[in-house]
Amino acid sequence: MKTKKCYECNGEIVSKKIEVVISGKSLGKFPAEVCKKCGEEVFDELTSKKIDKTAKQKGLWGLAKKIKIVKLGRSLAIKIPKRISDFLGLREGKEALIKPEKNTIIIEN
């Protein structure tokens, strides 16, 4: 039997179940082909559909949104879409911690 090779690095491919996490929430473990060398993970079409269905059932599908950055006085401001604020439990008047982390803004409540 011929060993499968990775399209990215030519490393050996193995089949195993891996945990899929979206927005910090686990969707469970799903079968994938994973490269032992570079870690590239590939799901077949049926598995991808199951992952999408699970993400939709858990309300995680489509949370990412593009937003505009606006000027507010001398500061910059963003509007957080309702679905995201609901997901994070953010409320008007509630305190949150915002911090930069290499091209990312993290909001902790």
Side-chain angles (χ1 to χ4, degrees), residues 14-57:
V14 294
S15 295
K16 63 182 186 178
K17 285 194 169 194
I18 59 169
E19 184 175 21
V20 175
V21 177
I22 296 178
S23 297
K25 303 281 184 179
S26 175
L27 301 182
K29 290 191 174 194
F30 294 88
E33 293 190 336
V34 181
C35 176
K36 287 173 131 181
K37 186 175 178 183
C38 72
E40 178 76 13
E41 301 168 346
V42 178
F43 300 99
D44 64 29
E45 186 176 354
L46 181 61
T47 301
S48 291
K49 287 180 181 181
K50 286 179 184 176
I51 291 169
D52 290 349
K53 182 179 178 183
T54 304
K56 288 175 186 175
Q57 288 171 341

Side-chain angles (χ1 to χ4, degrees), residues 15-109:
S15 295
K16 63 182 186 178
K17 285 194 169 194
I18 59 169
E19 184 175 21
V20 175
V21 177
I22 296 178
S23 297
K25 303 281 184 179
S26 175
L27 301 182
K29 290 191 174 194
F30 294 88
E33 293 190 336
V34 181
C35 176
K36 287 173 131 181
K37 186 175 178 183
C38 72
E40 178 76 13
E41 301 168 346
V42 178
F43 300 99
D44 64 29
E45 186 176 354
L46 181 61
T47 301
S48 291
K49 287 180 181 181
K50 286 179 184 176
I51 291 169
D52 290 349
K53 182 179 178 183
T54 304
K56 288 175 186 175
Q57 288 171 341
K58 292 190 175 198
L60 301 172
W61 186 257
L63 276 178
K65 299 285 181 202
K66 282 196 171 193
I67 54 148
K68 293 269 186 187
I69 300 170
V70 297
K71 189 162 177 119
L72 185 62
R74 292 179 44 179
S75 298
L76 296 178
I78 62 168
K79 290 182 182 179
I80 300 173
K82 183 173 179 355
R83 280 194 65 213
I84 294 174
S85 63
D86 288 348
F87 177 77
L88 295 174
L90 300 174
R91 300 285 177 259
E92 184 178 354
K94 186 177 176 184
E95 286 191 3
L97 176 67
I98 182 171
K99 60 184 180 181
E101 197 170 286
K102 193 174 182 182
N103 298 322
T104 302
I105 295 174
I106 297 173
I107 300 173
E108 296 176 348
N109 59 345

